[in-house]
Amino acid sequence: EKTLHIIGGGLAGSEAAWQAANLGISVVIHEMRPKVETFAHKSGDLAEMVCSNSFRSDDHEQNAVGLLHWEMRQAGGLIMETAGEHRLPAGGALAVDRESFAAGVTKKILEHPLITVDYEEITELPSSGHWIIATGPLTSSALGEAIAAETGQNALAFFDAIAPIIYADSIDMSKAWMQSRYDKGDTEEERTAYLNCPMDKAQYDQFIDALLEAEKTEFHEGETAKYFDGCLPIEVMAERGRETLRHGPMKPVGLTNPHQPDVKAHAVVQLRRDNALGTLFNIVGFQTKMKYGAQATVFKSIPGLEGANFARLGGIHRNTFLNSPTLLDGQMRLKSQPHIRFAGQITGVEGYVESAAMGLLAGRLAAAEIKGEVMPDLPQDTATGALVHHITGGADAKTFQPMNINFGLFRPVEGLKGGRRGRTDRYKAYTDRAKNAWSEWLSVQG
Ligand code: FAD
């Protein structure tokens, strides 16, 4: 059996099909729409963009998402090619007419001689053959249950609860300090695993007022939440009482500020390392539905974070995703059922571009496997490689939440200036290095 089956013809599934078919593989896409609908999709087209019509920055020298665009174009990516054909003026961003874009992708897929589309919902995990599951954040509940039965309930989430993530080098260490509560831990690394930002009473009161006043996003229709048990948005905690946060994630106990050892902080904001490289930190317990603009203002009022540079802002959404660090191997195969790969948002990446990029990679890896070729490991210094490395290895499995592409996922380039001032040179060095590595990797498959 040499056919590749793909469940889900969204951004990731369409791209995966295109890549594999262009490498000579017969592909069947199984897509449940329009027969079975989701609360967000409006049409029966493949690759429907469910919310914004933007693929974000197209700058491939200074922006990590722009670099992903570049890598996908180099690989003959369907999503980027079609986006280019339906582009709308949007400054440095790649925005498209969403309807003609999806119609364009659908047409190309249906006309491809090696691709067939079966309009049906898949409700069970396939027991043999070559499969990619790319059913997205709104995976149908029957298939979601089948996946959870295989992975264990705790390894498949149905909501994300994302706290903002900050570049370590933008945190002011003359105000913040590293220490775990009560110095807990067996090693020095564990005893200094958290980064702490202290607040006095006036700062705390202002912070609570800002949280209460900030503009919030509403849940989408149909997205109503069972999530409220474990991960309340911080602004909801603040609404429950002005002291709630001070007794929750912001409690000041077990910590001593080395910059002011005699002053007892009124509250402490804690940040936790978010990746093995130590370049990213997330604010512990700060999942939020505040609008992005409001988040940046409110979080920059935290002492030590005045100059914070955000790798991603917080959010809470309906989102089916795997605990990829424990479940997937570096080739995106389910370790327990290696004939099944996952791709797209369900792997724990976040965004149209990231989802399509994971589809592109899965399609190429599956094609190589079916043809009996061995691909060299994908270089971690590419944007695609940095992302897949993060979700399948670099991220902490215990606190895993979906991730955008950002330069914090890249290994440092030696000998360059850190901090804000060196940023332009650093980003150019990352993108140059990535382009070389990606071109070389692609040339193996032709
Ligand atoms: P999808 O594009 O959703 O594709 C999955 C496909 O699988 C769908 O066509 C679905 O019908 C099908 N499917 C599901 N279950 C089955 C089954 N059992 N059998 C057969 N087919 C099945 N990202 C952004 O970058 N910008 C945004 O503005 C944005 N807004 C979003 C808004 C909402 C409400 C949601 C839920 C997500 C949003 N995202 C956004 C996140 C994400 O980028 C998109 O959801 C993106 O479409 C994910 O690509 P995908 O291919 O993984 O999933």
Side-chain angles (χ1 to χ4, degrees), residues 396-414:
D396 184 348
K398 285 201 281 305
T399 56
F400 184 64
Q401 290 291 330
M403 189 51 125
N404 278 138
I405 188 68
N406 66 76
F407 285 126
L409 302 181
F410 287 62
R411 292 192 286 203
V413 176
E414 296 305 322

Side-chain angles (χ1 to χ4, degrees), residues 7-14 30-33 36 38-41 45-56 120-123 134-140 142-144 220 223 317-319 343-346 350-356:
I7 314 180
L11 274 306
S14 302
H30 306 264
E31 169 55 57
M32 69 178 186
R33 289 178 299 115
V36 182
T38 78
F39 77 79
H41 293 88
D45 278 339
L46 305 175
E48 184 181 325
M49 299 166 86
V50 287
C51 185
S52 122
N53 66 331
S54 171
F55 291 105
R56 317 203 313 271
E120 56 170 356
E121 180 193 3
I122 302 284
T123 57
T135 44
L138 308 176
T139 295
S140 75
L143 187 64
H220 290 267
E223 207 184 7
H317 309 96
R318 171 83 173 78
N319 193 359
Q345 180 114 352
I346 197 168
E350 163 75 30
Y352 300 143
V353 181
E354 289 83 345
S355 298

Side-chain angles (χ1 to χ4, degrees), residues 159-162 219 226-234 236-237 285-289 315-316 401:
F159 282 94
D160 61 34
I162 296 168
F219 275 99
K226 278 186 278 174
Y227 75 87
F228 265 89
D229 309 343
C231 51
L232 280 179
I234 39 164
V236 175
M237 281 190 252
F286 273 32
Q287 55 278 352
T288 176
K289 288 290 275 183
I316 299 174
Q401 290 291 330

